[in-house]
Every structure is written in structure tokens, then in C-alpha cells.
Amino acid sequence: MTKKRIGIYPGTFDPITNGHMDILKRSLRLVDRLIIGVATNPSKNPMFSLEERVAMVDRETRPMALAAGVEFEVVQFDDLLMSFAERVGASIIIRGLRAVADFEYEFQMTGMNYQINPDIETVFLMADPKYQTIASRLVKEVARYGGNISPFVPDQVCVEVLKKVG
Ligand code: ADP
């Protein structure tokens, strides 16, 4: 019997965007079981509570995972990513790479994580050019100033963000 390939896609998902959705859809081709780790991240002062983010990510992504026949779970975590990965038996961490700006941070983080546990590989998926400029932070900013965020997030998420900004 071959070993199940378990991957984690970690993030803050405040809120989940079309960029996240694209990375997620593509990562379903790489693993047998995908765990989406929703980070507490209080330092980022999230617009959505942890519970709201977990529910939102689950709702938006479950149909895709089921269609792909991949085991799927959305889990919150507030410990070190590598501890979380070890705890759930993951051998792959999936990250999306947008621009050069992402690279420096990801490069450092991957290097440190590799020293913590060299058995866990971080895999980078290049953002699709269509979604490359989408960032949760900017989605919130555009919404606060009354801009149209519908090209950047799933429909229901758009409604929820607009509700938050009043
Ligand atoms: P974090 O706080 O870990 O950066 P995010 O929710 O902002 O959490 O992002 C989670 C992951 O998704 C990161 O690997 C990030 O680079 C990736 N990501 C975010 N937006 C996009 C996008 N538009 N296209 C591709 N990857 C993205």
C-alpha cells in the first residue's frame, strides 16, 4: 500500500480570495488529503473571526475537494506551522507565490522550516497571472473605500465583506 500524501495549505484567509481558490484547486492534484490550516494570526487584526474564516473557507472549498475526490479538512491552528504539520502527519506544505515581494519572506520561512524538519517539503505554486495582484489586505481596503471587490473574491464572500464594512 502506498503512503497517503498529506498536504497543508496554511494561511490567514481574511478573507479567502480567488487567488487562494486557484492555488487550492491546483493543490488538489498534488495530494491525497488536503488540510487547510487557518491561522489565528491575532497580530494581523483580522476582519473576520477565526470561526468565521474557518466556516467561509470550508463552504467555498469543500465542493471542489469533493469533486476532485481528495480527502479534505479545514482546521484552525495557532502553533508553529511545522508543529501543526507534524501533528497532522503532513509531508507537504503548499504556498502560493505572487510577486518578488512574496519571495524574500517565503525564502526565509522555508529555510527555517527545513531546518526544523527536513522531512517536510514546502511546495510553491506560481500565482496565475489573472490572480497575481489579488491580496486579502487590498480586498479589504478597496471594500472600505466603496470599490467593487466582486472580481477578486467568491460571490458569497463579497456579500460578507460588504456586510462587515457596512
Ligand atoms: P499568510 O498570512 O500566511 O500570508 P494569506 O491568507 O495571506 O496568509 O495567504 C496564504 C497563502 O496563499 C500564501 O502562500 C500566499 O502567498 C498565497 N496567496 C495569497 N493570495 C494569493 C494569490 N492572489 N495568488 C496566489 N497565491 C496567493
Side-chain angles (χ1 to χ4, degrees):
M1 198 182 84
T2 51
K3 209 173 133 219
K4 254 192 194 152
R5 221 190 297 265
I6 303 177
I8 293 183
Y9 180 34
T12 311
F13 304 106
D14 185 47
I16 188 165
T17 68
N18 291 340
H20 293 128
M21 296 288 285
D22 178 57
I23 296 293
L24 190 91
K25 190 166 125 206
R26 289 156 58 197
S27 67
L28 290 170
R29 297 186 199 134
L30 306 177
V31 297
D32 303 303
R33 177 176 172 76
L34 182 69
I35 296 167
I36 306 189
V38 181
T40 331
N41 241 336
S43 63
K44 278 198 172 177
N45 201 9
M47 171 181 269
F48 291 92
S49 72
L50 183 61
E51 292 69 28
E52 286 171 328
R53 283 179 281 138
V54 168
M56 184 190 280
V57 169
D58 192 285
R59 181 194 67 222
E60 296 299 331
T61 56
R62 188 167 290 277
M64 218 190 259
L66 288 178
V70 170
E71 283 178 33
F72 168 82
E73 203 180 350
V74 182
V75 177
Q76 62 185 68
F77 75 104
D78 62 1
D79 50 348
L80 201 60
L81 176 58
M82 296 311 271
S83 311
F84 174 50
E86 284 166 16
R87 196 147 40 83
V88 297
S91 57
I92 300 178
I93 290 172
I94 292 153
R95 298 286 291 173
L97 260 193
R98 282 163 292 184
V100 192
D102 277 347
F103 180 81
E104 183 71 30
Y105 173 71
E106 297 290 343
F107 177 73
Q108 276 194 332
M109 197 167 80
T110 304
M112 285 190 59
N113 284 342
Y114 194 70
Q115 289 191 40
I116 297 171
N117 188 338
D119 295 327
I120 300 178
E121 285 294 344
T122 304
V123 173
F124 291 97
L125 298 179
M126 289 288 171
D128 184 309
K130 285 203 292 282
Y131 306 120
Q132 222 168 56
T133 53
I134 304 177
S136 298
R137 184 178 56 82
L138 293 176
V139 165
K140 288 179 281 190
E141 212 165 297
V142 170
R144 282 195 186 102
Y145 286 102
N148 177 22
I149 59 164
S150 64
F152 313 126
V153 293
D155 293 349
Q156 186 59 26
V157 174
C158 182
V159 171
E160 285 163 340
V161 172
L162 293 181
K163 216 185 267 172
K164 286 278 181 191
V165 299

